[in-house]
Amino acid sequence: MSQNTSKVALVTGGTRGIGFETVRQLAQAGVHTLLAGRDRSRAVEAALKLQGDGLPVEAIALDVTDTASIAAAVQEVDRKFGRLDILVNNAGIIVEDKTLAPSRQSVAAWRETFQTNVFAVVETTQAFLPLLRKSPAGRIVNVSSILGSLTLHTQPGSPIYDFKSIPAYNASKSAINSYSVHLAYELRDTPIKVNAVHPGYVKTDMNAGEGEIDVPTGARTSVQMALIDADGPSGGFVYLGETLPW
Ligand SMILES: NC(=O)c1ccc[n+]([C@@H]2O[C@H](COP(=O)([O-])OP(=O)(O)OC[C@H]3O[C@@H](n4cnc5c(N)ncnc54)[C@H](OP(=O)(O)O)[C@@H]3O)[C@@H](O)[C@H]2O)c1
């Protein structure tokens, strides 16, 4: 606990699901954690629940698809802390009509998906990078999905081989994996580590509770990769300590 108490983390999409639980677990580890939500009042409401348990959690407004909102959040973190130690890019959406074949998903759905799951991650990361560079040990966790694995998608019999109903979502996670690899390479000679994680198939609103594992277990990989030390990996794609195929 003691080595984490001086750290500051920010988790996007912290109002519910895996993000909310990631905030809880980071704060339980002693990290001062900023619970970011696109709606300030809902972020405050969520943060209050954790503060009520005595956890070091603070709400911050951040719509990851809004450039002005990102800039305001960066300014707020800079003014209050002057650096950021951990950025968890957790916010994500699925907007596709799962009853349609991959070839029939609308371009609008593809755009909306990439806006939140890819471009917003790139923009948020770029904006916070100067503050992460000021940390002695910056960590970036990109919440991906096993559904972004092209290796498993092309392997008959793999657990995701038949999960082809949300192509834009799946491709957005492949793109985030690729982005993580490029960023980790760029930052290889700095203390900053960048990793993509799969949370597991988690019971959240995203799958109407149909997931297979509980939310606390679903947040564990993000928290593990947020707290890796200097010997930890960078440029990896992991789930509960296991490396996943790209
Ligand atoms: N659940 C799974 O089985 C599973 C599996 C693999 C990967 N993942 C990934 O894990 C992450 C979290 O998923 P989840 O299951 O916890 O989903 P969720 O319960 O649907 O929560 C999504 C979160 O993202 C936030 N969000 C969406 N758009 C946003 C925006 N423009 N700006 C800021 N926040 C935004 C939501 O905020 P609001 O409350 O304001 O809507 C919410 O807090 C996602 O990246 C998802 O792709 C989930």
Side-chain angles (χ1 to χ4, degrees):
M1 155 96 69
S2 57
Q3 72 188 45
N4 294 321
T5 48
S6 58
K7 292 183 187 167
V8 179
L10 184 146
V11 181
T12 70
T15 47
R16 56 197 168 94
I18 297 165
F20 179 73
E21 183 60 28
T22 302
V23 171
R24 186 207 308 273
Q25 291 183 20
L26 283 173
Q28 282 171 338
V31 178
H32 188 86
T33 307
L34 306 176
L35 184 159
R38 59 180 148 181
D39 179 288
R40 185 182 290 277
S41 58
R42 274 193 292 124
V44 168
E45 196 183 317
L48 277 173
K49 287 184 203 156
L50 300 174
Q51 288 164 0
D53 294 332
L55 294 171
V57 171
E58 201 177 319
I60 185 167
L62 175 50
D63 180 338
V64 295
T65 61
D66 179 340
T67 299
S69 174
I70 295 171
V74 169
Q75 248 185 15
E76 188 175 333
V77 176
D78 191 16
R79 182 171 45 78
K80 287 184 175 164
F81 307 101
R83 68 171 204 290
L84 184 64
D85 300 297
I86 297 164
L87 172 64
V88 183
N89 286 310
N90 167 81
I93 56 168
I94 295 178
V95 295
E96 288 156 281
D97 179 346
K98 293 179 184 168
T99 65
L100 297 178
S103 62
R104 301 195 58 228
Q105 294 294 346
S106 70
V107 174
W110 275 86
R111 285 213 172 91
E112 191 179 346
T113 303
F114 268 63
Q115 195 61 47
T116 298
N117 293 6
V118 183
F119 306 140
V121 173
V122 174
E123 190 170 2
T124 302
T125 304
Q126 282 183 1
F128 277 107
L129 203 48
L131 289 180
L132 286 156
R133 286 186 188 277
K134 291 186 180 166
S135 166
R139 302 288 179 259
I140 298 170
V141 178
N142 290 327
V143 182
S144 177
S145 168
I146 196 172
L147 290 171
S149 169
L150 295 177
T151 303
L152 295 177
H153 265 301
T154 50
Q155 205 173 82
S158 90
I160 65 161
Y161 186 68
D162 293 321
F163 281 68
K164 301 287 196 286
S165 63
I166 43 173
Y169 176 85
N170 295 349
S172 75
K173 296 303 188 181
S174 306
I176 271 316
N177 285 352
S178 180
Y179 178 58
S180 302
V181 167
H182 285 74
L183 199 57
Y185 176 82
E186 176 187 337
L187 298 170
R188 67 194 181 285
D189 293 327
T190 77
I192 302 175
K193 292 183 185 293
V194 187
N195 287 289
V197 303
H198 168 55
Y201 189 30
V202 191
K203 292 178 201 293
T204 66
D205 296 342
M206 183 167 269
N207 49 44
E210 284 183 359
E212 289 166 355
I213 63 171
D214 60 23
V215 178
T217 310
R220 205 170 291 158
T221 308
S222 291
V223 174
Q224 282 171 353
M225 298 316 285
L227 297 180
I228 48 172
D229 61 24
D231 297 331
S234 190
F237 179 28
V238 298
Y239 171 55
L240 291 177
E242 303 230 340
T243 295
L244 295 177
W246 298 109

